[in-house]
Amino acid sequence: MKNVAIVTGGARGIGLAITKRLIESNYIVIVSDILEGLVDTEKIENSDCHYFKCDITKKNDIIQLFNFVKATFDKIDLLVNNAGIIKDNMIWNMPEEDFDKVIDVNLKGTWLMCKQAAIMMKAQNFGRIVNISSRAWLGNKGQSNYSASKAGVIGLTRVLALELGKYNICVNAVAPGLINTPLTQNLKPDVLESLINAQPTNNIGQPEDVANAVMFLGSEITKFITGQVIYVDGGKSISSNMF
Ligand SMILES: NC(=O)c1ccc[n+]([C@@H]2O[C@H](COP(=O)([O-])OP(=O)(O)OC[C@H]3O[C@@H](n4cnc5c(N)ncnc54)[C@H](O)[C@@H]3O)[C@@H](O)[C@H]2O)c1
């Protein structure tokens, strides 16, 4: 049987690119998102692409998702925790609820998904989990909520690598930098330009760049790589951008 993957937040942006990359590589993909489905222009005409509406902050949604996967495919080879949100502001202007919401989706939602995946993968003695963190975990002004959530994702990744390693389950993270998606297309043009100018490669990454790293970490050949972070950021993580 083909490999089976879940991609959270797969309806658009990076998650959609990951979904397409996995389908090309012969995976069955269950796309889960809070949206009603993929936007029409991006519909994937392939019977290996399934859509399951699931809010990763809701434990019951997640349990239903895993019940569906178990009943339909009886296995899960790969979980890609990609769903994430931003609500940027300097800390003195940040409403407490914007801190809670970002932590709830980016960190707790990822933890809830990992928990159900770990139960199923441990029972089958195989699995791969790839968590989408962000280069911003190193610190970005205006992102105290987001950077903290993505740093938490890396801590979570490292702990799960320790806990699940002996069950043939590898858990790794990908930390994208500036990537061209609906999330970054909402930035003011002058802000986007200055961010691009601060890149060592002087450009913006594409969702497919992230998808390629996920494909590598999610595959069976990476059985001796776990608890690691791969940056897909045009080199931005190499040094501080203060100058
Ligand atoms: N775009 C970038 O430059 C960039 C950089 C670093 C990290 N990232 C991370 O990559 C991931 C994808 O980002 P993107 O740019 O494609 O964003 P996006 O906003 O284009 O897509 C995110 C998807 O997640 C879904 N989602 C949001 N909340 C959800 C929830 N509670 N349950 C299920 N799905 C939910 C959204 O509906 C959307 O389809 C995020 O985790 C983001 O933090 C993005």
Side-chain angles (χ1 to χ4, degrees):
M1 190 188 175
K2 291 182 174 185
N3 287 333
V4 177
I6 296 175
V7 180
T8 69
R12 67 179 203 194
I14 293 171
L16 180 61
I18 294 168
T19 298
K20 288 180 174 171
R21 183 75 177 80
L22 290 170
I23 299 260
E24 274 168 26
S25 304
N26 228 13
Y27 277 71
I28 294 168
V29 180
I30 300 96
V31 178
S32 76
D33 204 296
I34 45 174
L35 302 178
E36 290 304 324
L38 307 184
V39 287
D40 281 346
T41 50
E42 298 288 0
K43 283 254 185 300
I44 298 173
E45 300 298 339
N46 189 309
S47 58
D48 288 337
C49 185
H50 300 258
Y51 197 85
F52 198 98
K53 194 173 176 193
C54 169
D55 181 341
I56 60 161
T57 65
K58 299 204 167 93
K59 191 164 74 180
N60 285 345
D61 279 16
I62 292 175
I63 288 171
Q64 280 177 27
L65 167 64
F66 277 87
N67 285 346
F68 164 76
V69 173
K70 175 90 183 138
T72 314
F73 309 106
D74 199 26
K75 68 167 189 161
I76 174 77
D77 297 285
L78 169 64
L79 166 63
V80 184
N81 282 307
N82 162 80
I85 59 169
I86 52 172
K87 288 187 181 291
D88 295 353
N89 229 322
M90 291 303 197
I91 193 166
W92 50 88
N93 288 327
M94 186 180 288
E96 190 178 337
E97 51 271 26
D98 283 1
F99 179 83
D100 289 344
K101 186 67 191 160
V102 168
I103 296 289
D104 207 27
V105 176
N106 297 4
L107 182 54
K108 188 170 176 199
T110 300
W111 183 87
L112 286 168
M113 287 293 301
C114 284
K115 179 171 178 176
Q116 292 308 314
I119 292 167
M120 204 165 152
M121 288 175 178
K122 187 167 169 281
Q124 67 192 20
N125 202 41
F126 177 80
R128 298 282 181 269
I129 298 176
V130 181
N131 293 323
I132 306 299
S133 175
S134 169
R135 189 216 61 88
W137 86 277
L138 296 169
N140 261 355
K141 283 180 193 164
Q143 295 198 311
S144 56
N145 51 2
Y146 184 75
S147 293
S149 73
K150 294 299 190 177
V153 165
I154 288 177
L156 172 65
T157 301
R158 291 167 62 96
V159 170
L160 297 190
L162 293 174
E163 292 183 356
L164 298 170
K166 68 177 172 186
Y167 303 105
N168 201 17
I169 301 167
C170 297
V171 188
N172 291 289
V174 172
L178 189 64
I179 306 292
N180 186 16
T181 70
L183 192 137
T184 41
Q185 282 150 15
N186 286 335
L187 293 170
K188 288 188 197 137
D190 57 320
V191 173
L192 187 59
E193 196 186 334
S194 66
L195 288 171
I196 291 173
N197 289 339
Q199 290 284 125
T201 50
N202 205 32
N203 60 2
I204 187 166
Q206 299 304 320
E208 293 71 24
D209 295 321
V210 181
N212 287 334
V214 171
M215 187 66 228
F216 168 66
L217 289 174
S219 70
E220 285 171 41
I221 58 165
T222 56
K223 61 184 189 309
F224 206 51
I225 302 175
T226 195
Q228 303 305 307
V229 183
I230 291 188
Y231 290 90
V232 181
D233 70 342
K236 186 85 185 292
S237 54
I238 296 168
S239 67
S240 130
N241 62 354
M242 296 293 283
F243 302 103

